[in-house]
Amino acid sequence: MANPRNRDPLDEYDARVDVGQLQNDDHQRGIVQSLQHLHDELKEYQAPQIVHPDVESLQTASQSSFLGALLRRRGSRRSRTNIPKNLPKGLYLFGDVGSGKTMLMDMFYDTLPRNITSKTRIHFHNFIQDVHRRLHTMKQQHGTDFDAIPFIGADIAENGSILCFDEFQVTDVADAMILRRLLESLMSHGVVLVATSNRHPDDLYKNGIQRDSFIPCINLLKSSLHVINLDSPTDYRKIPRPPSGVYHFPLDKAAASHANSWFKFLGDFENDPPRTATHRIWGRDVVVPRASGKAAMFEFAELCGRPTSAADYLELMRWYEAFIITEIPGMTHKSRDLARRFITFIDAVYESRAKLVLTTAVPLTELFVSRTEVDDAMNEEQKNNPPESGEHQDVDDTMRHLMDDLGINMQVLKNSSIFTGDEERFAFARALSRLSEMGSQQWIERGLGLEKDGGKEDMESWQKVRSRWREDML
């Protein structure tokens, strides 16, 4: 049923506060604001027409010909699923029992814009069981080697352009192995996903069988959905922590409010209102456009658009403990100077144990290398050298998963012209790995004085780590 009162999420929230159904809570209002951002995007969204794949194209090589089998053995990677660029970024709401997941999902689903005429809401357990039944039926019809996921994805997409999951969880290896491709298939047909869960994506299928194979699905959830923490942590500043993670993609209407919310949280607006600050570094004035307390906020062009050195960034680390960087573009081989400066800055933030908030035009995996560059390099490399086993052995687990998610293999990086040499290649790998770590809940919350982490003791411990780093840099 369409939204009968034509209310949006914030209208509905205010109405419930007015009649006493809900208490006005800044943290919860911030979450509803995230619902509102998606609601506003959906007002202008037109889902593409569903195009079912041809059954013949989903037959495996063994079903077609011996020659086909030989050819497919040389190229082990499946063709990449293309997700429409205009697909609104969905939501992943996680929190403990009693955090309001069901109420928020009700509010979002019931206030969907009137132009959204097809929508589906289902408990995730029931959804995945239905998928397995469909898989079983199609394999009975077409054989056990038939690749049914794209066909099932198209079928499900026909039922609604908005798909809402209640209680998203993964406990079974059979679910884990199909989920990434299934979700990608749904998004390729223009389906916007919204999910509630008890767990952060990083904690899904924890200690499960073959969990390494599930990591790309976790990366997909984190890059394609805004991950929102429903639990309201207590800290000594009495300011509600922004419910979203620290990295925001793309540069949409919500990007500015994301950056400002984190700046307010990490700064000290009450005692040190936002202002322009100037620091004398190596005989030059370095301007911080917006500073408050121990937090500094830059646009990317202000931070990396002029000649800067590692010494400049290290000196900034002495003054500030948190950095909010906005309007970060995707970088290609034509903007290598910008990429090198930004990687140097990332290294300085990481080594000083500071906190980092970003708004980016592209996913992190495409920050330093464009999708086109990767595709061109892959095509060129596969013409000359087939992929080799063990190709990712010289990178860490985090980087390996990021490379798999992007579709890169190490042989391509070594032989392509994307990077000028091994040193640049590993700087790229290290930066992505460090960004992944700095985006973790553990990194973000350390030193905030949260009660669950030890309160004041946690805050003092983190300050000691920062002090030792400053002493080491003297």
Side-chain angles (χ1 to χ4, degrees):
M1 183 167 118
N3 183 354
R5 290 174 289 188
N6 200 29
R7 283 181 175 170
D8 58 29
L10 277 175
D11 288 338
E12 184 64 26
Y13 181 77
D14 288 335
R16 296 186 189 187
V17 169
D18 289 343
V19 299
Q21 289 183 1
L22 295 173
Q23 288 187 336
N24 192 27
D25 177 82
D26 286 343
H27 180 74
Q28 196 169 69
R29 182 173 289 277
I31 296 165
V32 176
Q33 185 66 62
S34 297
L35 304 182
Q36 182 69 42
H37 286 315
L38 179 55
H39 176 96
D40 291 342
E41 282 192 78
L42 292 174
K43 286 181 180 179
E44 309 297 328
Y45 180 59
Q46 184 68 42
Q49 183 176 358
I50 307 300
V51 179
H52 275 77
D54 182 78
V55 171
E56 290 295 321
S57 70
L58 301 179
Q59 303 285 354
T60 61
S62 61
Q63 291 173 292
S64 54
S65 69
F66 176 70
L67 178 60
L70 289 177
L71 291 174
R72 285 176 183 264
R73 202 169 294 153
R74 290 177 61 87
S76 59
R77 187 174 296 279
R78 295 181 188 268
S79 60
R80 187 175 178 88
T81 303
N82 293 318
I83 297 174
K85 291 184 178 180
N86 70 328
L87 180 70
K89 200 168 182 180
L91 298 171
Y92 183 101
L93 311 173
F94 77 97
D96 291 336
V97 174
S99 59
K101 294 189 292 290
T102 300
M103 181 272 291
L104 289 164
M105 180 68 93
D106 288 342
M107 186 180 296
F108 174 77
Y109 193 78
D110 293 340
T111 62
L112 280 168
R114 290 184 173 181
N115 62 296
I116 302 298
T117 56
S118 61
K119 58 184 182 179
T120 302
R121 181 177 178 182
I122 187 171
H123 193 283
F124 185 74
H125 175 75
N126 296 335
F127 169 81
I128 205 69
Q129 289 303 308
D130 177 62
V131 168
H132 284 299
R133 281 193 293 270
R134 292 171 187 251
L135 282 170
H136 178 70
T137 299
M138 295 208 75
K139 289 182 182 295
Q140 282 186 319
Q141 294 173 349
H142 302 285
T144 56
D145 291 332
F146 180 74
D147 182 16
I149 292 295
F151 207 91
I152 292 171
D155 276 350
I156 295 172
E158 284 188 325
N159 295 328
S161 57
I162 310 294
L163 178 54
C164 296
F165 293 127
D166 287 302
E167 302 298 334
F168 190 101
Q169 60 178 330
V170 183
T171 57
D172 185 84
V173 63
D175 302 345
M177 294 305 101
I178 67 170
L179 197 53
R180 186 249 175 104
R181 291 192 63 229
L182 178 61
L183 296 182
E184 274 191 336
S185 177
L186 290 169
M187 287 188 282
S188 75
H189 292 293
V191 176
V192 178
L193 302 177
V194 178
T196 67
S197 179
N198 292 332
R199 298 174 178 268
H200 187 281
D202 287 335
D203 294 329
L204 290 170
Y205 197 52
K206 210 159 193 177
N207 303 318
I209 299 170
Q210 298 181 46
R211 189 174 190 267
D212 274 358
S213 299
F214 183 68
I215 298 297
C217 183
I218 291 175
N219 291 337
L220 176 69
L221 290 170
K222 293 195 295 184
S223 64
S224 301
L225 308 180
H226 291 299
V227 178
I228 307 293
N229 186 355
L230 303 184
D231 297 325
S232 181
T234 303
D235 74 275
Y236 287 98
R237 287 161 295 179
K238 306 299 182 185
I239 300 172
R241 175 192 145 168
S244 59
V246 287
Y247 303 146
H248 180 97
F249 150 79
L251 298 178
D252 54 13
K253 293 178 181 178
S257 62
H258 168 87
N260 289 329
S261 295
W262 275 105
F263 185 39
K264 183 177 181 180
F265 177 71
L266 295 168
D268 185 6
F269 280 29
E270 184 176 347
N271 298 308
D272 184 18
R275 56 189 167 78
T276 300
T278 302
H279 302 284
R280 193 75 173 167
I281 300 176
W282 297 98
R284 293 181 293 106
D285 286 339
V286 174
V287 177
V288 179
R290 296 186 70 194
S292 172
K294 292 294 184 179
M297 187 170 179
F298 293 85
E299 287 187 7
F300 178 81
E302 295 166 335
L303 183 73
C304 299
R306 56 181 180 79
T308 47
S309 66
D312 294 329
Y313 296 139
L314 289 173
E315 194 64 26
L316 285 174
M317 300 303 133
R318 297 181 192 276
W319 288 89
Y320 301 101
E321 298 175 352
F323 295 86
I324 299 89
I325 314 300
T326 65
E327 303 289 332
I328 302 171
M331 287 161 267
T332 69
H333 70 281
K334 296 179 180 178
S335 49
R336 275 292 173 261
D337 285 345
L338 292 177
R340 291 189 187 100
R341 288 173 198 153
F342 192 48
I343 287 173
T344 300
F345 174 75
I346 290 168
D347 288 341
V349 174
Y350 181 85
E351 289 161 8
S352 70
R353 295 299 185 264
K355 303 189 189 301
L356 184 62
V357 178
L358 307 177
T359 66
T360 64
V362 297
L364 292 186
T365 48
E366 298 177 30
L367 201 54
F368 304 112
V369 184
S370 72
R371 178 78 254 162
T372 301
E373 285 180 310
V374 171
D375 288 343
D376 289 347
M378 289 285 288
N379 291 335
E380 183 64 29
E381 175 61 23
Q382 288 175 358
K383 285 181 185 177
N384 303 316
N385 301 291
E388 300 176 4
S389 61
E391 62 196 3
H392 291 179
Q393 290 179 352
D394 50 353
V395 295
D396 65 18
D397 288 341
T398 301
M399 185 57 200
R400 184 181 299 112
H401 295 314
L402 287 167
M403 289 167 63
D404 287 341
D405 193 46
L406 186 54
I408 304 175
N409 66 58
M410 186 52 70
Q411 196 65 29
V412 168
L413 288 186
K414 288 179 178 177
N415 296 341
S416 76
S417 59
I418 291 178
F419 300 107
T420 58
D422 279 354
E423 183 177 349
E424 188 174 86
R425 173 168 59 88
F426 281 105
F428 158 83
R430 184 183 62 217
L432 286 184
S433 180
R434 288 181 166 183
L435 282 173
S436 177
E437 184 178 352
M438 289 191 289
S440 69
Q441 189 171 355
Q442 181 181 5
W443 186 286
I444 297 163
E445 293 185 349
R446 186 182 179 191
L448 294 182
L450 304 183
E451 290 179 353
K452 69 181 180 65
D453 294 329
K456 189 176 180 180
E457 183 179 339
D458 166 66
M459 184 181 291
E460 292 174 347
S461 173
W462 184 74
Q463 290 294 346
K464 288 178 182 177
V465 171
R466 289 275 303 168
S467 295
R468 283 198 295 271
W469 174 83
R470 290 191 184 95
E471 290 170 2
D472 290 341
M473 295 306 297
L474 292 175

